[in-house]
Amino acid sequence: MAHSQGKRRRLVADIVRHGRLQNPPFRLRSGNLLAALMTASALMLAAPGAALASNNKPGTTKSSNAKAASGSSSRSAAHGAGTRVSAREARETKGGKAQAKGKKTSVAENRKTAASEARTASAAKPARRSAPAAASIQEASNAEARLIAVYEMFGRGQARPALAKARDLVRDYPNFQLAQLVYGDLLAAQVPPSNALPDTASIAKMRGNPAMADLHEESRRRLQALRERPPAGTVPSQFLTLSTRSRYAIAVDASRSRLYLFENSDKGLKLAADYYISVGKSGTDKATEGDARTPLGVYYITSSLDPKSLKDFYGAGALPINYPNPYDVRRGKTGGGIWLHGTPPQQFARAPLASDGCVVMANPDLKQLLRKVQIGATPVVTARSLQWISPPQAEKEAQSFTSAITAWKDARASGNEAQLKKFYLPDFQRNNKKTTEGISALHDEVEYAQGKRVQFKDMSYLHWRDGDDTMVATFGEVFEGEKSGRTRRQYWLRQGSEWKLFHEEILG
């Protein structure tokens, strides 16, 4: 059986590389293993150690075998029937549970991507010896970790243990479509081949099926994110300085369909967990209402919506962010209602490009996030592709801005309104609770601060570049002789070598 399964794996690779069978080693049922074409990046790239389970402890190589959460008695009912399903029924079940249509992937693109991935797999083992040190994989979704363990076992030729793990996974998470697909493929691999040969048209039809293409892309992105880890000790380039009042920070990498959760302490940011996510069906860079794109920028969590007040569509809850932020408004961007939210009960995860602009997570993952975020204090960076920098590099990039904000503070304390005005753009606006003020607010600012010593505390600098160079600075200030102060959030824009203030919010 092991020899036959090895042939099957080589056969899938042959189809992926060439788009058709070159020298069929045996005849096989038309549907069997063809479904694996759409997940070939998973089943063929999973060479020993190529993808590590997300719950691995640093220094270990064994995959996580964590048990599913308690309270899953309703899910376990699928176990008995699932083990007896025929190959045809498995394919029909997968088709019935396929995720919503996302961006279509052409046959040529699938062939090119899969061929590249197959070549990568063949060189994966030697490359691991010389690869630079990367951050150890942190806690992630239990379901995802178990799926990666299935991939690893199959890649090592352990088809039967992989099948057993896949069976347990779909029993515990019956709405996990990608897991159902992999389970069906593994079931099909156990069926002796018949005399029916697949034809090129059938292969092309399967590859062109949008639902299958979505599942293939989901599989590819999950594995990519778990293989290509952030370099050890680095942070996203937007997080230059973060006050410990923000206990957690969130960064979304749309290109990898990944949300990274960081824990913040006096020792700095540390990657705590990361999760698969979906973004807008039209991609990123939201500009107008209804464009089905996810915004790019620096945002903050503004509230947490009780799932009891929401439709089932939003799953375990929702975390709205402050899109459009002042920088978005300045550029004429419109729309709103951008949330981080869960999935409907019947759907474990959505395709990589599937939402109307929100960031969508599996409900178990969202529940972990809900326990950690702070309203108004947890920053959310959404980027096409995150760039990672070292803490010393972040500190160096923050220095020029620190000089600017210190000079702003000194000009205000000097009482020289003309000097202070040089730090502001003419269309500056300040939101002070229920009122909005313009540049005229500087007069009151100078009168209040003149001659007083002020202490800044809890400084946070979030840097954003996308043609313009902007900084979102949040800090508290306490004037001499006062027991309490207020918190400001300022939006700065670099013009030439100078930083200019164009918007300010008084938070409290």
Side-chain angles (χ1 to χ4, degrees), residues 42-185:
L43 300 181
M44 298 307 299
L45 285 178
L52 301 177
S54 297
N55 286 341
N56 281 357
K57 294 180 180 179
T60 64
T61 57
K62 292 185 179 180
S63 302
S64 168
N65 192 26
K67 295 183 179 180
S70 60
S72 60
S73 58
S74 62
R75 299 169 181 164
S76 63
H79 171 63
T83 57
R84 295 187 297 272
V85 67
S86 68
R88 180 179 180 85
E89 289 169 338
R91 293 194 303 276
E92 291 173 349
T93 300
K94 291 177 287 180
K97 293 185 177 182
Q99 296 170 337
K101 290 185 179 181
K103 186 176 181 180
K104 292 187 178 180
T105 304
S106 67
V107 174
E109 290 171 338
N110 280 341
R111 186 175 301 160
K112 182 178 179 181
T113 300
S116 173
E117 291 168 343
R119 288 193 298 270
T120 302
S122 66
K125 193 169 184 179
R128 286 196 305 278
R129 295 192 185 103
S130 59
S136 59
I137 296 179
Q138 309 296 316
E139 176 188 0
S141 164
N142 177 53
E144 181 178 70
R146 292 167 64 182
L147 178 64
I148 300 304
V150 171
Y151 289 163
E152 287 186 310
M153 285 185 171
F154 186 89
R156 291 193 292 263
Q158 300 171 348
R160 287 190 179 278
L163 176 63
K165 277 192 172 293
R167 180 186 63 227
D168 292 343
L169 177 58
V170 299
R171 176 199 64 201
D172 295 337
Y173 296 91
N175 59 352
F176 194 173
Q177 291 94 334
L178 180 57
Q180 291 281 3
L181 177 63
V182 172
Y183 178 46
D185 291 337

Side-chain angles (χ1 to χ4, degrees), residues 327-358:
Y327 181 50
D328 295 323
V329 173
R330 181 179 181 84
R331 294 181 294 171
K333 297 196 172 187
T334 61
I338 301 299
W339 301 350
L340 279 64
H341 65 77
T343 56
Q346 72 276 13
Q347 194 172 29
F348 182 81
R350 296 172 69 178
L353 304 176
S355 77
D356 289 331
C358 294

